[in-house]
Amino acid sequence: MKHQRLIWLLAGLVCWALALAAIRQVWFQRATDPTWEQMRASGTMRVCMEAAYPPFGLLDAAGNFSGFDVDLARELASRWGLQVEFVNLHFDGLYDALLADKCDMVLSALPYDETLTEDVLYSPSYFNAGLLLAVRQDERRIRGVNQLGGKKVGVELGSAAELEARRHLEQGRIPLHIVTYPGAIEALTALRDGEVDAAIADSVNVYHFTRDPGGIRYVKRFLSDEQYVIALRPGSGYTWKRLADEIARLTRQGFFKTLQARWF
Amino acid sequence: MDSTHPRSGSVASELYDLLCLGLSRLLGSPLLPRVLLLLPLLLLAGRVPQPVVHIGPRQTVQSINPKMGVHTRLTDEVEEWKIKRTLEMVREMGASWIVEYFPWGYYEPEKGRFDWRHPDLVVDHAIAQGLEVVARIDFVPGWARPEDTTFRYLPEESYGDFAGFVAAFVQHFRGRVRYVVVWNEPNLAFEWGYRLPDPESYTRLLQQTYRRAKEANPDVIVLAAGLAPTLAPPGSEWGMDDLEFLRRMYAAGARGSFDGLAIHAYGWTLPPDSPPGRDSLGFSRAELLHEVMVENGDGDLPCLITEAGWNDNRRWANAVRPAQRIDYTLQAYQMVLEDWPWCRTVAMWVFRYPRPARNYQDDFAFVTPGFVTRPIYTAVQAYARGQQP
């Protein structure tokens, strides 16, 4: 009888040990995350970037990296106690470089791509580069596209903004008048100067123009989304979790607003 | 009898009873007549509705510039209505020419067994829209090349097989396809099966193909391949300067083995009227290729620009702004019409992809995979209609 109890006790302990090991494996995926292990072992976080896309990534003649994404990478590395190393590549080579282990992550104004979610892990978005509706600072009647009927709307010729304006005109049946300009800045300048009643442009240009030279503001709701995310190799679950937590924390702490003020 | 029962109902009921009685006596079963009466309904219910796509009556392209063309990409377009819609939109834009890719490996999966169903669809719809088709032919089937080689690798011993396919193609499409392009960018290692580009070997391919194609269809116009515009230094493992490649083709005896030259003339970041230079790439580099033809006594042969254009991707180093792209494209169409009599058409890359490439390539397109027209389409259409921008 005593033997039987002992056997049951031992079997129970073994079961609990196995279950706890499995739980540990799931909860602390670090043990099976080569990206995190590699970064910790080398003390370096390698970031693939196209440093030719201002204001997100820039490389000066002396070989110094700067920009919104560069600051973000440095902040992440500093919080994780790592050095940061940038790998400068053309945009079209970023994913291949990541998958070929040339870097630990792609942080380069990278738009979320729903067709690649089985190939890479995407962090939550840290920036929306979608289209915004801009109006003059003193404009009070236009609160969204529904108030654009009969108004002149400036857009960059041939751009996504022109397509968006056409979509509202043709599909939304909002009788707006599209006025095209060679670039987004020209469209925003025309808005400030009173040539048009509103302008549609990407958020980067709108943020930049709102601050300098100013005279315009924008409707907060985006007309379209282009979410910038960070890409990791598959199997980097622990790094992804750390990254997602940091992005949430940085958002709460106003870090991205600071970056926006610095770079746009 | 219920007085409210309609009289016509009674007549129908009597007719039905009479029919069933007659049929059951005739067939010897009371159930069978009912089944027979319901049969047409059952047949109709069991029929799966099929989308119906008609080729339709022959259309005519309305354009002030008859040299306007586009490179379509219908090779991998499965649904017929999409093929038709794409070609309708080409016509509606005002382009009269299309260049299309016809992969040998798709249409001769086994030696001597041809499957023309898909290319027939593309060609017949193009003709119905009033479009002239230029067929680019390459892509080596597995049976015509060694194992572990790419579909761009054509061993010299298979040149006869390729020439045989082109002969079968021009025979099948006699009266429908007038132009064929023999291979694509053989001055690039990638397009030559990751071997060093070899203009002498390509010339032998061209010679064999030309002879077989002309035997099969003397009316066909055989074009030498469009060469990739490149400034690759001598001895580069990736490619050979296109001007040098063409000169060496002539030196190898290519003259007389093609009726015209296909040209690739991408503009990159330069406007179309930017002067051509041996050390720069741009749309007007086509003039230098034509000069090589003139130097070799082929100045009277036509050139067809089978790939050209500008890209307006925001992230690609070789792209321009969307407004510049529109401006340059219209300028290029007009330049070819007014200033390049030796050039028969200019086909801009690319009209529409069947699905998004999800990279800068998407920003060469005039129309999205979902048939949304991009502003360049509207601008080109307005130009073709003679409207002021």
Side-chain angles (χ1 to χ4, degrees):
Chain A
M1 193 67 178
K2 268 190 176 177
H3 277 295
Q4 209 173 357
R5 279 186 180 170
L6 193 63
I7 288 166
W8 275 108
L9 185 66
L10 281 172
L13 285 173
V14 168
C15 284
W16 270 102
L18 287 173
L20 286 172
I23 289 166
R24 182 181 178 279
Q25 189 81 355
V26 173
W27 283 2
F28 301 96
Q29 287 175 13
R30 179 169 36 178
T32 57
D33 180 348
T35 301
W36 187 259
E37 282 175 5
Q38 190 168 289
M39 289 197 299
R40 299 305 303 180
S42 64
T44 305
M45 183 176 99
R46 297 168 303 155
V47 175
C48 277
M49 164 177 286
E50 181 201 26
Y53 194 60
F56 290 91
L58 290 157
L59 182 65
D60 66 18
N64 299 312
F65 288 84
S66 61
F68 187 105
D69 285 343
V70 172
D71 285 355
L72 174 57
R74 286 187 176 134
E75 182 66 23
L76 288 170
S78 138
R79 288 178 178 224
W80 293 342
L82 301 169
Q83 296 293 313
V84 66
E85 181 187 311
F86 293 103
V87 181
N88 188 18
L89 294 163
H90 281 299
F91 184 75
D92 286 308
L94 292 174
Y95 281 112
D96 287 340
L98 175 70
L99 297 176
D101 194 22
K102 301 288 181 200
C103 54
D104 302 308
M105 63 181 69
V106 175
L107 204 175
S108 186
L110 187 73
Y112 173 78
D113 184 342
E114 70 273 17
T115 65
L116 294 178
T117 51
E118 289 187 10
D119 303 299
V120 293
L121 290 180
Y122 283 128
S123 74
S125 167
Y126 65 88
F127 185 82
N128 190 348
L131 295 171
L132 286 169
L133 178 66
V135 291
R136 272 185 296 282
Q137 195 72 53
D138 56 357
E139 172 63 56
R140 288 289 168 268
R141 283 163 300 173
I142 300 174
R143 297 179 305 280
V145 287
N146 290 335
Q147 285 82 46
L148 291 180
K151 304 286 184 192
K152 286 186 191 169
V153 180
V155 293
E156 179 184 359
L157 174 63
S159 67
E162 186 185 349
L163 273 179
E164 181 69 12
R166 268 176 40 193
R167 192 173 70 81
H168 290 295
L169 175 67
E170 291 161 12
Q171 293 173 25
R173 301 200 181 280
I174 298 169
L176 50 89
H177 304 290
I178 300 171
V179 185
T180 57
Y181 293 91
I185 294 298
E186 287 87 342
L188 293 168
T189 306
L191 169 66
R192 186 199 58 193
D193 296 347
E195 282 178 36
V196 290
D197 303 300
I200 297 175
D202 61 276
S203 64
V204 175
N205 275 310
V206 172
Y207 293 154
H208 202 284
F209 200 97
T210 307
R211 189 159 164 255
D212 180 23
I216 66 162
R217 63 181 182 85
Y218 55 90
V219 176
K220 289 217 162 22
R221 188 172 173 183
F222 278 86
L223 300 180
S224 69
D225 286 329
E226 184 170 276
Q227 302 289 356
Y228 287 169
V229 291
I230 301 169
L232 299 166
R233 271 186 300 281
S236 309
Y238 182 76
T239 316
W240 183 90
K241 178 77 172 66
R242 295 289 300 255
L243 198 50
D245 289 347
E246 288 299 352
I247 288 173
R249 204 168 293 130
L250 289 168
T251 307
R252 280 198 307 275
Q253 293 168 351
F255 177 78
F256 291 112
K257 282 191 177 154
T258 312
L259 281 194
Q260 201 167 304
R262 186 182 304 159
W263 290 106
F264 303 133
Chain B
M1 184 186 276
D2 183 357
S3 60
T4 58
H5 197 86
R7 189 175 174 77
S8 59
S10 306
V11 172
S13 168
E14 278 171 21
L15 264 175
Y16 175 78
D17 288 344
L18 199 66
L19 201 59
C20 285
L21 191 68
L23 281 169
S24 56
R25 278 190 185 162
L26 196 68
L27 300 167
S29 158
L31 187 65
L32 205 57
R34 287 173 174 81
V35 173
L36 278 175
L37 282 171
L38 288 173
L39 196 62
L41 195 66
L42 290 171
L43 284 174
L44 279 174
R47 208 181 124 150
V48 179
Q50 297 287 327
V52 180
V53 181
H54 298 292
I55 296 278
R58 177 111 186 217
Q59 306 286 325
T60 311
V61 178
Q62 304 292 329
S63 176
I64 60 161
N65 185 343
K67 290 187 175 181
M68 282 170 59
V70 280
H71 199 306
T72 48
R73 198 60 203 252
L74 297 166
T75 313
D76 301 309
E77 187 57 270
V78 180
E79 294 173 78
E80 189 180 354
W81 75 267
K82 289 183 180 173
I83 293 172
K84 183 179 182 183
R85 184 68 197 125
T86 302
L87 296 167
E88 274 176 348
M89 290 180 80
V90 171
R91 172 181 55 78
E92 287 163 3
M93 189 180 77
S96 309
W97 297 73
I98 63 158
V99 179
E100 183 52 70
Y101 176 33
F102 293 93
W104 170 27
Y106 287 23
Y107 310 135
E108 193 181 1
E110 290 168 31
K111 190 170 181 175
R113 184 170 72 79
F114 300 101
D115 181 356
W116 301 117
R117 283 173 297 177
H118 191 271
D120 272 336
L121 276 183
V122 173
V123 170
D124 289 344
H125 276 294
I127 290 168
Q129 297 304 323
L131 305 172
E132 180 85 63
V133 179
V134 179
R136 172 194 138 192
I137 303 176
D138 53 76
F139 192 113
V140 188
W143 58 263
R145 59 183 163 87
E147 273 184 27
D148 302 324
T149 54
T150 74
F151 59 91
R152 323 291 316 159
Y153 186 99
L154 182 64
E156 197 132 354
E157 56 269 26
S158 295
Y159 282 6
D161 292 322
F162 178 78
F165 173 77
V166 175
F169 184 93
V170 299
Q171 195 166 38
H172 180 81
F173 287 105
R174 189 172 192 158
R176 292 188 286 167
V177 176
R178 273 208 302 160
Y179 296 86
V180 289
V181 186
V182 178
W183 213 258
N184 183 59
E185 300 184 339
N187 62 323
L188 291 186
F190 165 72
E191 299 282 357
W192 201 238
Y194 286 113
R195 294 170 294 174
L196 283 178
D198 186 343
E200 292 75 24
S201 182
Y202 173 71
T203 301
R204 288 192 288 278
L205 173 67
L206 187 62
Q207 286 166 334
Q208 281 196 47
T209 308
Y210 183 79
R211 187 171 46 77
R212 295 283 300 275
K214 287 290 187 182
E215 282 167 8
N217 175 4
D219 300 330
V220 73
I221 296 171
V222 177
L223 303 175
L227 301 172
T230 172
L231 301 173
S236 165
E237 60 180 314
W238 299 111
M240 183 184 288
D241 183 295
D242 44 341
L243 302 173
E244 176 64 15
F245 194 94
L246 185 58
R247 277 195 203 96
R248 281 181 54 180
M249 278 173 58
Y250 274 113
R255 186 162 187 241
S257 296
F258 58 103
D259 304 314
L261 179 69
I263 290 179
H264 291 178
Y266 287 97
W268 309 122
T269 56
L270 297 172
D273 57 355
S274 174
R278 289 179 198 284
D279 54 352
S280 68
L281 299 177
F283 183 74
S284 56
R285 191 172 173 84
E287 291 179 1
L288 301 183
L289 288 161
H290 182 248
E291 275 176 22
V292 175
M293 293 173 73
V294 173
E295 285 164 17
N296 286 278
D298 269 349
D300 54 338
L301 292 188
C303 293
L304 283 82
I305 298 179
T306 52
E307 286 184 31
W310 286 263
N311 182 297
D312 57 12
N313 185 280
R314 283 192 298 156
R315 304 295 292 268
W316 192 41
N318 288 318
V320 293
R321 287 162 71 173
Q324 282 177 308
R325 183 186 172 207
I326 291 172
D327 194 25
Y328 293 174
T329 303
L330 299 184
Q331 270 187 50
Y333 276 137
Q334 192 62 22
M335 215 168 111
V336 169
L337 179 68
E338 287 178 352
D339 305 332
W340 291 0
W342 41 270
C343 182
R344 206 164 273 187
T345 182
V346 52
M348 297 293 174
W349 180 269
V350 57
F351 189 70
R352 172 186 164 265
Y353 291 111
R355 57 185 169 277
R358 301 272 175 193
N359 58 31
Y360 73 94
Q361 291 281 358
D362 287 332
D363 294 305
F364 273 116
F366 284 59
V367 171
T368 69
F371 295 102
V372 176
T373 56
R374 299 186 69 199
I376 188 162
Y377 177 95
T378 319
V380 171
Q381 189 177 51
Y383 161 78
R385 291 175 180 173
Q387 296 165 359
Q388 293 298 315

